[in-house]
Amino acid sequence: MNTTDLGLPMTVPADGLPARVRIHEVGARDGLQNEKATVPTAVKAEFVRRLAGTGLTTIEATSFVHPKWVPQLADAEDLYQAVADLPVALPVLVPNERGLDRALALGARRVAVFASATESFARANLNRTVDEALAMFEPVVRRAKAQDVHVRGYLSMCFGDPWEGAVAVPQVVRVCRALLDMGCDELSLGDTIGVATPGHVTALLAALAGAGVPVSALGVHFHDTYGQALSNTLAALQQGVTTVDASAGGLGGCPYAKSATGNLATEDLVWMLRGLGIDTGIDLGRLVATSVWMAAHLGRPSPSRTVRALSHQEQ
Ligand code: HMG
Ligand code: MG
């Protein structure tokens, strides 16, 4: 038994799981891009600083996208400059060369392009077909790699799509291969609308392994719409995945997919990993305090069960 008065779970390891997981924190980007109200830049910067103080090592900061498409992140330059001194990785989203130019001008060393497995979401999110979007990313990845900048390739709608329904595994594998062949260093498999279940996750990861995609290059990005995000994460860990995206306090969704609700909450993930004896390097108490602080700024309680349990917020 291994508990503390901070309210941590008993640690009871299970077989067949990684010793360590890297959490890719997306709250400041994926979370805040979806807020109705625009959060002031100073509050965002303080959020990122507090997140860095919890032990998180990868904190996605913002997106260099068209400000009309995502007005909540129109302050990308100011925000990035306000946090650039932090000793953590601060990836940013860049959809095209214009976005890459803006990021590189500020010294960004990690960028992410974001593709779709489905035509409907590619059109809604990027105003392109799937293949047109890949063509848009190609010079971004090439130029970033020429400068030794790390490139993540997001892939949305890997399991289901609000317009097209279930998404066939081979469709996802094709776009994953294209992103890797282009030169992306890692991929993040997005369940944008939260419809995945564990067997589906296992089947997709097996198909990717069969297509020669190394599991070490894969991260998972689950949304908790149907309460499946943690089960899906466990299924992914059992297949060898060691990078998991999560959003502090469960903030987020996606402005271009109406049925996308909150991301997997980082606190819920840390609670499970801690219970399994998997190291994340994160101070759960500080993380909960950060999400409570952010929830006060947003004017509503965090949807994370762990935040609520540990902070005694009203249900
Ligand atoms: P478009 O309208 O086709 O753009 O949008 P365009 O290439 O035709 O250019 C039109 C104008 O936009 C031009 O200006 C460009 O300079 C300007 P004008 O000449 O008319 O004055 N422009 C830009 N300005 C600033 N920064 C830029 C930029 N690019 C062009 N980077 C575009 C195409 C890709 C720009 C647009 O669709 C866009 O910005 N989309 C972003 C959507 C987005 O950010 N969605 C959320 C992120 S994805 C997500 O959340 C899912 C994820 O979490 C995983 C999951 O859960 O699935 C990652
Ligand atoms: Mg997302």
Side-chain angles (χ1 to χ4, degrees):
M1 178 141 149
N2 174 15
T3 59
T4 78
D5 55 9
L6 255 185
L8 295 169
M10 279 176 61
T11 297
V12 184
D15 290 338
L17 295 173
R20 193 174 167 84
V21 161
R22 181 176 66 86
I23 297 182
H24 183 109
E25 170 61 44
V26 299
R29 192 279 304 173
D30 202 355
L32 298 185
Q33 77 179 6
N34 211 40
E35 282 302 311
K36 285 200 179 65
T38 299
V39 176
T41 310
V43 174
K44 290 180 186 173
E46 179 63 18
F47 184 42
V48 173
R49 283 190 180 281
R50 289 184 187 221
L51 290 171
T54 69
L56 283 160
T57 54
T58 309
I59 303 175
E60 204 165 86
T62 187
S63 299
F64 291 94
V65 295
H66 195 299
K68 282 194 194 133
W69 282 67
V70 186
Q72 294 87 341
L73 304 184
D75 62 351
E77 268 81 3
D78 289 344
L79 187 268
Y80 193 84
Q81 284 172 294
V83 298
D85 63 305
L86 289 169
V88 295
L90 294 166
V92 293
L93 266 59
V94 294
N96 52 17
E97 289 193 86
R98 172 99 169 81
L100 181 69
D101 290 339
R102 292 171 60 197
L104 293 179
L106 299 176
R109 300 299 302 156
R110 284 182 171 249
V111 298
V113 293
F114 43 105
S116 170
T118 66
E119 293 296 340
S120 302
F121 187 65
R123 178 61 62 193
N125 201 40
L126 294 162
N127 198 24
R128 302 283 187 282
T129 66
V130 168
D131 287 338
E132 285 168 353
L134 290 172
M136 178 167 73
F137 301 147
E138 196 278 328
V140 175
V141 178
R142 182 169 28 82
R143 285 180 49 206
K145 291 317 302 168
Q147 299 196 32
D148 211 19
V149 167
H150 184 276
V151 183
R152 160 175 263 227
Y154 274 106
L155 186 58
S156 290
M157 306 296 174
C158 288
F159 300 91
D161 173 287
W163 300 276
E164 299 180 20
V167 176
V169 165
Q171 201 173 324
V172 181
V173 173
R174 179 184 84 85
V175 188
C176 281
R177 271 263 50 113
L179 288 167
L180 273 185
D181 294 346
M182 205 182 275
C184 287
D185 297 289
E186 70 173 20
L187 302 182
S188 170
L189 306 172
D191 181 19
T192 317
I193 57 170
V195 292
T197 46
H200 198 163
V201 172
T202 306
L204 175 58
L205 291 170
L208 286 167
V213 175
V215 72
S216 58
L218 294 176
V220 287
H221 181 109
F222 293 121
H223 285 244
D224 207 28
T225 322
Y226 297 92
Q228 304 297 300
L230 275 182
S231 318
N232 291 336
T233 302
L234 187 57
L237 299 181
Q238 285 164 340
Q239 298 303 309
V241 169
T242 58
T243 299
V244 180
D245 297 2
S247 172
L251 292 171
C254 177
Y256 290 102
K258 286 291 166 252
S259 36
T261 59
N263 291 79
L264 168 61
T266 314
E267 290 85 352
D268 298 5
L269 174 63
V270 170
W271 180 275
M272 180 180 81
L273 295 176
R274 175 103 189 194
L276 288 165
I278 297 174
D279 187 19
T280 63
I282 292 168
D283 182 323
L284 184 57
R286 280 193 186 189
L287 186 57
V288 167
T290 299
S291 290
V292 169
W293 172 86
M294 194 65 214
H297 275 283
L298 296 174
R300 58 161 191 280
S302 161
S304 158
R305 298 292 182 90
T306 302
V307 170
R308 289 179 178 214
L310 294 183
S311 66
H312 312 292
Q313 287 184 15
E314 293 298 314
Q315 294 289 331

